[in-house]
């Protein structure tokens, strides 16, 4: 074989390598479930459900209760962080700063249920999550009104959705939220927010993306296909893989 022919083969081989399609690396999320206050028994069911959503929708799911993993270097691995019924003061100042930097760099946040019962002394977090929990009545059936049916988190839901859960009341509701679902306080006992009582919302915040749903206290939520599609849409928006608003 001549040197010229060998060089031609080598060039052709390299060209083939660089033109072959590269398999895209799967997006990865972190499910964070540290509790410094009330512990929700539904957390393990929630983790398992989100892991299954990842398998079915082509994203990887890591889980932790360890706030020490909240460093900017580590958070860069994740398209979004899901706060699954976290409660209380879960971060020190360094971890708070790292998470702020992550969001400001374009990261995503998805809060489920008690995520709003978290970090009351951190004003930035309250604005990111969208509100803070103040109270709830006994678990009961109530009527939810889906006020935006044109999003990936709600398009599958009935406009009037009756279900049993633990219905949160809120304070410090961020006025810039794009509300997805409200609760009808006349349909149950114990609401204190009146006609403007949001239960799920999203917003672009401080460079990143934020989704929250107050649903998800009861374990049965995590085998409910309507609820699972609801949180999947929120997670996909938080990851930045899909726009929240769908085209008509």
């Amino acid at each position: 074989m001549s040197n010229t022919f060998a060089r031609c083969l080598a060039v052709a081989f390299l060209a083939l390598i660089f033109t072959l399609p590269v398999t895209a690396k799967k997006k990865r999320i972190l499910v964070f479930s540290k509790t410094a206050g009330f512990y929700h028994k539904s957390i393990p069911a929630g983790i398992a459900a989100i892991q299954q959503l990842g398998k079915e929708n082509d994203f990887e799911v890591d889980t932790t209760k360890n706030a020490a993993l909240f460093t900017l270097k580590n958070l860069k691995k994740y398209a979004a962080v899901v706060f699954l019924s976290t409660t209380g003061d879960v971060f020190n100042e360094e971890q708070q700063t790292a998470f702020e930097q992550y969001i400001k760099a374009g990261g995503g946040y998805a809060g489920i249920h008690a995520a709003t019962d978290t970090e009351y002394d951190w004003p930035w977090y309250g604005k990111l999550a969208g509100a803070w929990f103040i109270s709830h009545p006994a678990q009961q059936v109530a009527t939810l009104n889906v006020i935006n049916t044109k999003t990936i988190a709600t398009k599958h839901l009935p406009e009037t959705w009756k279900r049993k859960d633990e219905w949160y009341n809120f304070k410090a509701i961020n006025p810039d939220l794009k509300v997805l679902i409200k609760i009808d306080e006349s349909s149950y006992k114990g609401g204190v927010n009146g006609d403007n009582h949001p239960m799920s919302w999203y917003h672009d915040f401080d460079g990143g993306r934020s989704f929250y749903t107050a649903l998800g206290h009861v374990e049965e939520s995590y085998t409910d296909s309507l609820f699972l599609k609801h949180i999947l849409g929120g997670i996909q928006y938080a990851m930045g893989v899909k726009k929240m608003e769908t085209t008509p």
Side-chain angles (χ1 to χ4, degrees), residues 17 24 32 61 65 103 109 131 144 146 150 168 176 192 199 209 211 218 242:
I17 291 174
F32 180 57
V61 179
K65 298 177 182 178
I103 293 295
Y109 163 90
L144 300 170
V146 180
K150 296 179 180 180
Y168 275 11
D176 297 327
V192 303
M199 278 286 129
R209 299 164 303 281
F211 163 81
V218 296
K242 289 189 178 182

Side-chain angles (χ1 to χ4, degrees), residues 175-202:
D176 297 327
L177 301 177
K178 296 179 180 179
V179 177
L180 301 173
I181 301 172
K182 290 185 179 181
I183 194 166
D184 179 358
E185 288 196 357
S186 70
S187 68
Y188 74 107
K189 295 181 180 180
V192 303
N193 289 116
D195 292 337
N196 184 27
H197 191 158
M199 278 286 129
S200 179
W201 54 76
Y202 78 101

Side-chain angles (χ1 to χ4, degrees), residues 63-88:
T63 68
T64 190
K65 298 177 182 178
N66 183 7
L69 295 182
F70 278 69
T71 65
L72 189 55
K73 180 180 179 180
N74 189 55
L75 290 174
K76 285 180 178 179
K77 297 189 297 187
Y78 300 106
V81 181
V82 178
F83 282 51
L84 177 60
S85 284
T86 52
T87 56

Side-chain angles (χ1 to χ4, degrees), residues 216-228:
H217 174 87
V218 296
E219 290 182 57
E220 293 80 6
S221 294
Y222 299 97
T223 55
D224 178 350
S225 62
L226 293 179
F227 175 72
L228 292 176

Side-chain angles (χ1 to χ4, degrees), residues 8-29:
C8 289
L9 281 179
V11 169
F13 179 69
L14 289 172
L16 178 62
I17 291 174
F18 285 109
T19 56
L20 285 174
V22 177
T23 302
K25 188 176 181 180
K26 286 185 178 181
K27 296 278 190 178
R28 184 177 293 271
I29 68 169

Side-chain angles (χ1 to χ4, degrees), residues 12 39 57 59 69 84 96 106 111 113 183 191 207 221:
Y39 175 79
N57 294 277
F59 60 87
L69 295 182
L84 177 60
Q96 289 176 351
H113 194 55
I183 194 166
S221 294

